[in-house]
Amino acid sequence: MSESALYVVATPIGNLDDMTPRAIRTLESVALIAAEDTRHSGRLLSHFNIKTQMIAVHDHNERQQQQKIIAILEKGESVALISDAGTPLISDPGFVLVREVRAAGHRVVPVPGCCAMVAALSAAGIPSDRFAFEGFPPAKSQQRLNYYSALAGETRTLMFYESPHRIEDSLSAVVDAFGADRPIVLARELTKTFETYLSGTAAEVLLQVQSDPNQRKGEFVMMVQGAPAKDDSALDQQASDTLDILLEELSVKQASALAAKITGIKKKVLYQAALERK
């Protein structure tokens, strides 16, 4: 590597065959690997016979370790950042480190690879043109329900990570907040031996998880289909009545313009509605 950089390296989320050649070369070449959990990542490095020194960088020491990493970069050497699995910073530590390294004037280079939420969405059969990744929902039940309820009107597909000991309660909250009939997909243990996709309404998926203890084991990506988009062309009763009154005295153009000012609805929508009334 001719120029020093912090390499943000994606690692497998289960199947070690998903480790990319570029990721292996990078981890072999850098001066230091910053790992979320050195014991966990030690098994990965051992499998690929990578001997590079590691240090732990996690939520509790990220700010302290960043100075050590920046000092290495200042010497013209490179550092790799890895998480326990998948792409670093996606519901994992690393944001503070990347921000400070960039602020210090050093390159940050992504080495792409596995990401659980992208892998889950690609095979879910749920709308993927617009989506929002929300990470882990709150752990406490009432906070989680309030959190989901605030998202119930979102029209994009919503994506969450969830843990095995909370998945059943989390699905129950999805039923309460989004409605029993909202389509969802639950992906479990991606790329691993017992990879599973459950799909259907929120109530149906909850029942499948409740009836099979095996479906409450592992790591989960939960995808909730977005709410139907509102029909902007439909007028509520108050706007309709306002337009009718104005049309009694004014032209279509004048009535729709004034109704737009009164109701806040787009003039084009009101103009079309006024034409239909004439």
Side-chain angles (χ1 to χ4, degrees):
M1 296 181 182
S2 58
E3 186 178 353
S4 70
L6 173 66
Y7 290 87
V8 182
V9 181
T11 56
I13 57 177
N15 191 327
L16 293 179
D17 287 344
D18 292 333
M19 187 76 163
T20 69
R22 184 185 175 199
I24 294 172
R25 289 196 304 271
T26 300
L27 296 180
E28 288 174 335
S29 303
V30 296
L32 183 71
I33 297 172
E36 184 180 0
D37 183 332
T38 56
R39 290 173 298 178
H40 179 92
S41 294
R43 294 191 288 272
L44 175 72
L45 299 190
S46 177
H47 178 84
F48 291 102
N49 197 32
I50 297 170
K51 307 294 187 181
T52 309
Q53 179 189 354
M54 278 194 296
I55 61 169
V57 177
H58 45 70
D59 283 330
H60 304 294
N61 74 351
E62 189 174 356
R63 294 181 184 278
Q64 291 74 31
Q65 295 288 53
Q66 70 191 28
Q67 295 307 319
K68 181 183 296 185
I69 291 169
I70 290 173
I72 292 173
L73 297 173
E74 295 284 359
K75 293 191 294 184
E77 298 179 308
S78 294
V79 178
L81 173 67
I82 60 175
S83 63
D84 286 349
T87 301
L89 279 76
I90 309 301
S91 278
D92 282 323
F95 155 68
V96 173
L97 174 61
V98 167
R99 181 187 63 191
E100 295 306 314
V101 167
R102 288 175 60 85
H106 299 286
R107 294 173 66 221
V108 178
V109 179
V111 181
C114 292
C115 178
M117 65 108 170
V118 173
L121 184 61
S122 71
I126 200 166
S128 57
D129 54 331
R130 296 174 65 246
F131 64 91
F133 175 61
E134 294 289 332
F136 284 94
K140 294 183 178 179
S141 58
Q142 190 58 52
Q143 291 178 353
R144 182 169 55 230
L145 178 60
N146 293 342
Y147 177 74
Y148 284 153
S149 296
L151 293 169
E154 172 61 62
T155 58
R156 295 173 293 179
T157 292
L158 294 167
M159 306 189 65
F160 307 91
Y161 286 165
E162 193 51 285
S163 58
H165 60 281
R166 290 202 297 262
I167 188 60
E168 186 175 349
D169 290 340
S170 197
L171 284 167
S172 294
V174 166
V175 170
D176 291 339
F178 294 92
D181 293 332
R182 181 70 70 92
I184 74 169
V185 178
L186 185 67
R188 182 177 73 91
E189 292 291 85
L190 290 171
T191 79
K192 301 173 187 175
T193 302
F194 298 105
E195 176 180 289
T196 308
Y197 278 83
L198 301 179
S199 60
T201 66
E204 289 169 344
V205 172
L206 172 60
L207 183 60
Q208 292 178 77
V209 169
Q210 289 174 329
S211 61
D212 183 356
N214 288 322
Q215 299 303 325
R216 299 193 292 274
K217 298 176 181 177
E219 297 174 335
F220 299 87
V221 181
M222 182 168 61
M223 293 157 280
V224 179
Q225 187 165 311
K230 293 181 180 179
D231 182 4
D232 291 336
S233 65
L235 301 184
D236 60 31
Q237 191 60 50
Q238 183 178 4
S240 182
D241 291 344
T242 300
L243 185 60
D244 286 338
I245 293 169
L246 293 172
L247 283 170
E248 293 176 2
E249 304 293 337
L250 302 171
S251 68
V252 167
K253 183 177 181 180
Q254 291 171 323
S256 57
L258 185 53
K261 292 180 180 180
I262 295 171
T263 65
I265 296 172
K266 291 180 179 178
K267 180 181 176 181
K268 183 169 69 173
V269 172
L270 290 159
Y271 184 81
Q272 184 60 41
L275 285 176
E276 294 170 359
R277 284 162 163 76
K278 283 292 188 180

PDB file of all heavy atoms in Angstrom, residues 126-145:
ATOM      1  N   ILE A 126     -39.574  -7.792  -0.951  1.00  0.00           N
ATOM      2  CA  ILE A 126     -40.317  -6.670  -0.379  1.00  0.00           C
ATOM      3  C   ILE A 126     -39.785  -5.407  -1.054  1.00  0.00           C
ATOM      4  O   ILE A 126     -38.620  -5.399  -1.481  1.00  0.00           O
ATOM      5  CB  ILE A 126     -40.123  -6.642   1.160  1.00  0.00           C
ATOM      6  CG1 ILE A 126     -41.208  -5.834   1.849  1.00  0.00           C
ATOM      7  CG2 ILE A 126     -38.752  -6.151   1.550  1.00  0.00           C
ATOM      8  CD1 ILE A 126     -41.252  -6.050   3.366  1.00  0.00           C
ATOM      9  N   PRO A 127     -40.591  -4.348  -1.242  1.00  0.00           N
ATOM     10  CA  PRO A 127     -40.108  -3.177  -1.989  1.00  0.00           C
ATOM     11  C   PRO A 127     -38.755  -2.678  -1.503  1.00  0.00           C
ATOM     12  O   PRO A 127     -38.552  -2.469  -0.305  1.00  0.00           O
ATOM     13  CB  PRO A 127     -41.208  -2.139  -1.744  1.00  0.00           C
ATOM     14  CG  PRO A 127     -42.447  -2.959  -1.582  1.00  0.00           C
ATOM     15  CD  PRO A 127     -42.009  -4.191  -0.837  1.00  0.00           C
ATOM     16  N   SER A 128     -37.827  -2.512  -2.449  1.00  0.00           N
ATOM     17  CA  SER A 128     -36.457  -2.137  -2.087  1.00  0.00           C
ATOM     18  C   SER A 128     -35.987  -0.869  -2.774  1.00  0.00           C
ATOM     19  O   SER A 128     -34.826  -0.484  -2.627  1.00  0.00           O
ATOM     20  CB  SER A 128     -35.498  -3.285  -2.436  1.00  0.00           C
ATOM     21  OG  SER A 128     -35.603  -3.616  -3.821  1.00  0.00           O
ATOM     22  N   ASP A 129     -36.896  -0.210  -3.539  1.00  0.00           N
ATOM     23  CA  ASP A 129     -36.480   1.010  -4.220  1.00  0.00           C
ATOM     24  C   ASP A 129     -36.280   2.164  -3.253  1.00  0.00           C
ATOM     25  O   ASP A 129     -35.460   3.049  -3.472  1.00  0.00           O
ATOM     26  CB  ASP A 129     -37.498   1.391  -5.296  1.00  0.00           C
ATOM     27  CG  ASP A 129     -38.919   1.510  -4.760  1.00  0.00           C
ATOM     28  OD1 ASP A 129     -39.240   0.813  -3.774  1.00  0.00           O
ATOM     29  OD2 ASP A 129     -39.713   2.287  -5.321  1.00  0.00           O
ATOM     30  N   ARG A 130     -37.018   2.150  -2.132  1.00  0.00           N
ATOM     31  CA  ARG A 130     -36.857   3.152  -1.088  1.00  0.00           C
ATOM     32  C   ARG A 130     -36.943   2.431   0.258  1.00  0.00           C
ATOM     33  O   ARG A 130     -37.918   1.734   0.528  1.00  0.00           O
ATOM     34  CB  ARG A 130     -37.952   4.222  -1.174  1.00  0.00           C
ATOM     35  CG  ARG A 130     -37.925   5.039  -2.444  1.00  0.00           C
ATOM     36  CD  ARG A 130     -39.119   5.982  -2.542  1.00  0.00           C
ATOM     37  NE  ARG A 130     -39.090   6.999  -1.485  1.00  0.00           N
ATOM     38  CZ  ARG A 130     -39.996   7.082  -0.508  1.00  0.00           C
ATOM     39  NH1 ARG A 130     -40.971   6.210  -0.407  1.00  0.00           N
ATOM     40  NH2 ARG A 130     -39.918   8.047   0.386  1.00  0.00           N
ATOM     41  N   PHE A 131     -35.922   2.576   1.087  1.00  0.00           N
ATOM     42  CA  PHE A 131     -35.966   1.929   2.401  1.00  0.00           C
ATOM     43  C   PHE A 131     -35.205   2.764   3.419  1.00  0.00           C
ATOM     44  O   PHE A 131     -34.372   3.596   3.070  1.00  0.00           O
ATOM     45  CB  PHE A 131     -35.406   0.501   2.350  1.00  0.00           C
ATOM     46  CG  PHE A 131     -33.949   0.407   1.986  1.00  0.00           C
ATOM     47  CD1 PHE A 131     -32.969   0.412   2.974  1.00  0.00           C
ATOM     48  CD2 PHE A 131     -33.557   0.307   0.657  1.00  0.00           C
ATOM     49  CE1 PHE A 131     -31.630   0.315   2.648  1.00  0.00           C
ATOM     50  CE2 PHE A 131     -32.209   0.215   0.316  1.00  0.00           C
ATOM     51  CZ  PHE A 131     -31.248   0.221   1.312  1.00  0.00           C
ATOM     52  N   ALA A 132     -35.519   2.529   4.681  1.00  0.00           N
ATOM     53  CA  ALA A 132     -34.855   3.228   5.786  1.00  0.00           C
ATOM     54  C   ALA A 132     -34.354   2.189   6.777  1.00  0.00           C
ATOM     55  O   ALA A 132     -35.137   1.362   7.260  1.00  0.00           O
ATOM     56  CB  ALA A 132     -35.826   4.196   6.467  1.00  0.00           C
ATOM     57  N   PHE A 133     -33.059   2.223   7.057  1.00  0.00           N
ATOM     58  CA  PHE A 133     -32.472   1.310   8.039  1.00  0.00           C
ATOM     59  C   PHE A 133     -32.514   1.969   9.405  1.00  0.00           C
ATOM     60  O   PHE A 133     -31.952   3.047   9.598  1.00  0.00           O
ATOM     61  CB  PHE A 133     -31.039   0.972   7.648  1.00  0.00           C
ATOM     62  CG  PHE A 133     -30.321   0.129   8.669  1.00  0.00           C
ATOM     63  CD1 PHE A 133     -30.787  -1.131   8.991  1.00  0.00           C
ATOM     64  CD2 PHE A 133     -29.193   0.609   9.301  1.00  0.00           C
ATOM     65  CE1 PHE A 133     -30.135  -1.909   9.933  1.00  0.00           C
ATOM     66  CE2 PHE A 133     -28.533  -0.158  10.244  1.00  0.00           C
ATOM     67  CZ  PHE A 133     -28.998  -1.421  10.561  1.00  0.00           C
ATOM     68  N   GLU A 134     -33.173   1.328  10.362  1.00  0.00           N
ATOM     69  CA  GLU A 134     -33.373   1.915  11.686  1.00  0.00           C
ATOM     70  C   GLU A 134     -32.511   1.263  12.772  1.00  0.00           C
ATOM     71  O   GLU A 134     -32.588   1.650  13.930  1.00  0.00           O
ATOM     72  CB  GLU A 134     -34.856   1.799  12.076  1.00  0.00           C
ATOM     73  CG  GLU A 134     -35.791   2.619  11.207  1.00  0.00           C
ATOM     74  CD  GLU A 134     -35.660   4.112  11.452  1.00  0.00           C
ATOM     75  OE1 GLU A 134     -35.293   4.494  12.585  1.00  0.00           O
ATOM     76  OE2 GLU A 134     -35.902   4.899  10.522  1.00  0.00           O
ATOM     77  N   GLY A 135     -31.704   0.253  12.421  1.00  0.00           N
ATOM     78  CA  GLY A 135     -30.863  -0.394  13.425  1.00  0.00           C
ATOM     79  C   GLY A 135     -31.676  -1.154  14.455  1.00  0.00           C
ATOM     80  O   GLY A 135     -32.748  -1.688  14.162  1.00  0.00           O
ATOM     81  N   PHE A 136     -31.187  -1.196  15.688  1.00  0.00           N
ATOM     82  CA  PHE A 136     -31.883  -1.900  16.761  1.00  0.00           C
ATOM     83  C   PHE A 136     -32.955  -1.002  17.380  1.00  0.00           C
ATOM     84  O   PHE A 136     -32.663   0.134  17.757  1.00  0.00           O
ATOM     85  CB  PHE A 136     -30.902  -2.334  17.857  1.00  0.00           C
ATOM     86  CG  PHE A 136     -30.070  -3.524  17.492  1.00  0.00           C
ATOM     87  CD1 PHE A 136     -28.810  -3.357  16.929  1.00  0.00           C
ATOM     88  CD2 PHE A 136     -30.534  -4.813  17.711  1.00  0.00           C
ATOM     89  CE1 PHE A 136     -28.034  -4.450  16.579  1.00  0.00           C
ATOM     90  CE2 PHE A 136     -29.767  -5.913  17.373  1.00  0.00           C
ATOM     91  CZ  PHE A 136     -28.517  -5.731  16.801  1.00  0.00           C
ATOM     92  N   PRO A 137     -34.190  -1.488  17.527  1.00  0.00           N
ATOM     93  CA  PRO A 137     -35.220  -0.708  18.221  1.00  0.00           C
ATOM     94  C   PRO A 137     -34.923  -0.664  19.716  1.00  0.00           C
ATOM     95  O   PRO A 137     -34.101  -1.439  20.222  1.00  0.00           O
ATOM     96  CB  PRO A 137     -36.510  -1.483  17.938  1.00  0.00           C
ATOM     97  CG  PRO A 137     -36.063  -2.878  17.664  1.00  0.00           C
ATOM     98  CD  PRO A 137     -34.705  -2.770  17.033  1.00  0.00           C
ATOM     99  N   PRO A 138     -35.583   0.234  20.465  1.00  0.00           N
ATOM    100  CA  PRO A 138     -35.354   0.301  21.912  1.00  0.00           C
ATOM    101  C   PRO A 138     -35.619  -1.039  22.595  1.00  0.00           C
ATOM    102  O   PRO A 138     -36.483  -1.819  22.169  1.00  0.00           O
ATOM    103  CB  PRO A 138     -36.350   1.368  22.376  1.00  0.00           C
ATOM    104  CG  PRO A 138     -36.588   2.207  21.170  1.00  0.00           C
ATOM    105  CD  PRO A 138     -36.522   1.273  19.998  1.00  0.00           C
ATOM    106  N   ALA A 139     -34.903  -1.285  23.681  1.00  0.00           N
ATOM    107  CA  ALA A 139     -35.029  -2.560  24.388  1.00  0.00           C
ATOM    108  C   ALA A 139     -36.265  -2.620  25.284  1.00  0.00           C
ATOM    109  O   ALA A 139     -36.864  -3.685  25.457  1.00  0.00           O
ATOM    110  CB  ALA A 139     -33.771  -2.820  25.214  1.00  0.00           C
ATOM    111  N   LYS A 140     -36.658  -1.478  25.861  1.00  0.00           N
ATOM    112  CA  LYS A 140     -37.794  -1.468  26.783  1.00  0.00           C
ATOM    113  C   LYS A 140     -39.104  -1.456  26.007  1.00  0.00           C
ATOM    114  O   LYS A 140     -39.248  -0.769  24.991  1.00  0.00           O
ATOM    115  CB  LYS A 140     -37.698  -0.265  27.719  1.00  0.00           C
ATOM    116  CG  LYS A 140     -36.498  -0.341  28.656  1.00  0.00           C
ATOM    117  CD  LYS A 140     -36.468   0.822  29.630  1.00  0.00           C
ATOM    118  CE  LYS A 140     -35.281   0.697  30.595  1.00  0.00           C
ATOM    119  NZ  LYS A 140     -35.219   1.838  31.543  1.00  0.00           N
ATOM    120  N   SER A 141     -40.086  -2.196  26.507  1.00  0.00           N
ATOM    121  CA  SER A 141     -41.298  -2.479  25.749  1.00  0.00           C
ATOM    122  C   SER A 141     -42.089  -1.228  25.364  1.00  0.00           C
ATOM    123  O   SER A 141     -42.488  -1.078  24.205  1.00  0.00           O
ATOM    124  CB  SER A 141     -42.194  -3.452  26.519  1.00  0.00           C
ATOM    125  OG  SER A 141     -42.529  -2.921  27.786  1.00  0.00           O
ATOM    126  N   GLN A 142     -42.333  -0.321  26.314  1.00  0.00           N
ATOM    127  CA  GLN A 142     -43.137   0.853  25.995  1.00  0.00           C
ATOM    128  C   GLN A 142     -42.411   1.792  25.046  1.00  0.00           C
ATOM    129  O   GLN A 142     -43.013   2.343  24.111  1.00  0.00           O
ATOM    130  CB  GLN A 142     -43.534   1.600  27.278  1.00  0.00           C
ATOM    131  CG  GLN A 142     -44.575   2.706  27.047  1.00  0.00           C
ATOM    132  CD  GLN A 142     -45.858   2.184  26.422  1.00  0.00           C
ATOM    133  OE1 GLN A 142     -46.455   1.230  26.925  1.00  0.00           O
ATOM    134  NE2 GLN A 142     -46.294   2.806  25.330  1.00  0.00           N
ATOM    135  N   GLN A 143     -41.119   1.955  25.258  1.00  0.00           N
ATOM    136  CA  GLN A 143     -40.325   2.788  24.351  1.00  0.00           C
ATOM    137  C   GLN A 143     -40.314   2.195  22.943  1.00  0.00           C
ATOM    138  O   GLN A 143     -40.396   2.921  21.947  1.00  0.00           O
ATOM    139  CB  GLN A 143     -38.897   2.924  24.875  1.00  0.00           C
ATOM    140  CG  GLN A 143     -38.783   3.748  26.150  1.00  0.00           C
ATOM    141  CD  GLN A 143     -37.346   3.804  26.657  1.00  0.00           C
ATOM    142  OE1 GLN A 143     -36.456   3.131  26.129  1.00  0.00           O
ATOM    143  NE2 GLN A 143     -37.122   4.597  27.687  1.00  0.00           N
ATOM    144  N   ARG A 144     -40.221   0.876  22.871  1.00  0.00           N
ATOM    145  CA  ARG A 144     -40.214   0.205  21.567  1.00  0.00           C
ATOM    146  C   ARG A 144     -41.549   0.400  20.849  1.00  0.00           C
ATOM    147  O   ARG A 144     -41.591   0.700  19.656  1.00  0.00           O
ATOM    148  CB  ARG A 144     -39.913  -1.282  21.748  1.00  0.00           C
ATOM    149  CG  ARG A 144     -39.827  -2.061  20.448  1.00  0.00           C
ATOM    150  CD  ARG A 144     -39.264  -3.447  20.696  1.00  0.00           C
ATOM    151  NE  ARG A 144     -40.008  -4.163  21.694  1.00  0.00           N
ATOM    152  CZ  ARG A 144     -39.463  -4.775  22.748  1.00  0.00           C
ATOM    153  NH1 ARG A 144     -38.154  -4.740  22.932  1.00  0.00           N
ATOM    154  NH2 ARG A 144     -40.221  -5.417  23.606  1.00  0.00           N
ATOM    155  N   LEU A 145     -42.655   0.251  21.584  1.00  0.00           N
ATOM    156  CA  LEU A 145     -43.976   0.440  20.991  1.00  0.00           C
ATOM    157  C   LEU A 145     -44.150   1.874  20.502  1.00  0.00           C
ATOM    158  O   LEU A 145     -44.651   2.115  19.392  1.00  0.00           O
ATOM    159  CB  LEU A 145     -45.072   0.086  21.991  1.00  0.00           C
ATOM    160  CG  LEU A 145     -46.514   0.272  21.518  1.00  0.00           C
ATOM    161  CD1 LEU A 145     -46.783  -0.590  20.289  1.00  0.00           C
ATOM    162  CD2 LEU A 145     -47.490  -0.070  22.638  1.00  0.00           C
TER     163      LEU A 145
END
